[in-house]
Amino acid sequence: MKKALVTGASGGIGQAVAQRLCRDGYRVVLSCFHSAKAAERLCAQLNAERNGCAEVARADVSDFAQTEAMFRAAGDLDLLVNNAGIAQQKLFTDLTEEDWQRMLGVDVTGVFHCCRFALPAMIRRKSGRIINISSMWGQVGASCEVHYSAAKAAVIGLTKALAKEVGPSGITVNCIAPGVIATPMNDALGPETMRELAEETPLCRIGTPEDIAAAVSFLASPDAGFITGQVLGVNGGFVI
Ligand code: NAD
């Protein structure tokens, strides 16, 4: 059975991705940090559907040692989905050094750590898939989210460069840039802003975690075997 590790698997998109990959036949390591209880609940639900398809692991992906220990325990992987992330809305001139370091630490260094620890085994086996979850704001920039936009743009750069480096080892590295997705990350925006964002979206709705999970499933599938270094926008046409 192929094995995948999904970071941020207790969050909105991560849960849907983990669920989809289990249904696609993967054994999935649900990597969580803050909400171990939510990950345990999902794990129990997935194992009830197909025994042994899910397990929980815990690490702060911004922490080198914790992430290394998690990957050592997880063993060789066929697929890594770098989904864990944080967001924050703040005027640029109000950003503190701590805000900046925390954002880059989770959203960029976290991706570096996970790729760094997953890749040696993938390179040895000459196969593997890495899918990084960036954001449309990493493509076009968002006002009051400069540090988030910078971090997500860095993930796009990392994806492209790494795809070139590990392509000869039979590994693909791609990126998904979601638009506005209905998850706890957007709870702070409130219903009125969410309605306005839906109106601004050509497909006239907010995305669902399942929309992102479907894109992950495709990029992980044999049909995507010749696709690498790409940024797949899943945004209802918000950014074209
Ligand atoms: P969410 O807040 O529901 O989930 C985020 C997950 O990341 C949580 O499980 C959280 O525990 C985990 N996480 C945070 N810090 C961590 C750390 N230091 N170590 C390990 N895990 C950590 O948000 P979501 O909407 O599901 O976001 C998932 C990904 O999608 C993020 O990378 C986010 O930037 C990206 N994204 C989301 C949207 C959106 O509109 N929701 C849009 C574009 C991109």
Side-chain angles (χ1 to χ4, degrees):
M1 193 187 295
K2 285 194 169 189
K3 194 166 192 180
L5 185 145
V6 180
T7 66
S10 59
I13 291 173
Q15 290 206 18
V17 168
Q19 209 154 23
R20 175 68 190 247
L21 292 175
C22 278
R23 287 175 190 157
D24 286 351
Y26 282 85
R27 177 173 175 79
V28 181
V29 181
L30 311 175
S31 158
C32 66
F33 175 43
H34 303 101
S35 329
K37 276 206 177 113
E40 295 285 359
R41 257 196 315 275
L42 176 65
C43 187
Q45 183 195 319
L46 293 172
N47 283 326
E49 282 179 32
R50 189 161 55 82
N51 198 21
C53 79
E55 62 188 87
V56 173
R58 193 161 187 194
D60 173 353
V61 294
S62 70
D63 183 287
F64 185 91
Q66 283 185 37
T67 312
E68 184 179 32
M70 177 175 73
F71 277 85
R72 199 175 305 119
D76 292 3
L77 299 172
D78 300 283
L79 169 64
L80 166 65
V81 183
N82 282 310
N83 163 75
I86 53 170
Q88 185 184 38
Q89 279 90 35
K90 221 170 174 184
L91 280 175
F92 182 73
T93 46
D94 287 342
L95 282 182
T96 63
E97 169 71 6
E98 196 194 348
D99 291 332
W100 178 266
Q101 295 297 355
R102 187 164 160 267
M103 184 63 69
L104 276 284
V106 177
D107 287 12
V108 186
T109 308
V111 176
F112 159 64
H113 286 156
C114 293
C115 292
R116 178 65 187 77
F117 297 126
L119 270 168
M122 290 182 176
I123 291 168
R124 192 177 359 98
R125 297 163 71 203
K126 286 207 158 293
S127 83
R129 299 277 169 103
I130 296 178
I131 301 169
N132 297 323
I133 308 298
S134 175
S135 164
M136 65 177 174
W137 302 131
Q139 298 174 291
V140 298
S143 165
C144 296
E145 293 190 70
V146 172
H147 54 343
Y148 180 76
S149 302
K152 292 300 187 179
V155 170
I156 292 174
L158 183 154
T159 300
K160 292 180 179 185
L162 192 57
K164 289 183 178 175
E165 186 166 325
V166 299
S169 299
I171 299 160
T172 69
V173 188
N174 288 292
C175 196
I176 292 171
V180 186
I181 310 296
T183 73
M185 187 172 270
N186 287 323
D187 281 353
L189 296 180
E192 187 52 37
T193 306
M194 290 299 269
R195 229 184 339 268
E196 284 165 14
L197 287 165
E199 276 167 20
E200 275 180 63
T201 304
L203 288 178
C204 306
R205 69 170 174 89
I206 297 298
T208 64
E210 289 71 26
D211 290 323
I212 307 304
V216 169
S217 174
F218 168 65
L219 288 173
S221 74
D223 283 347
F226 199 51
I227 299 175
T228 197
Q230 302 304 306
V231 182
L232 178 57
V234 183
N235 59 37
F238 200 104
V239 167
I240 292 177

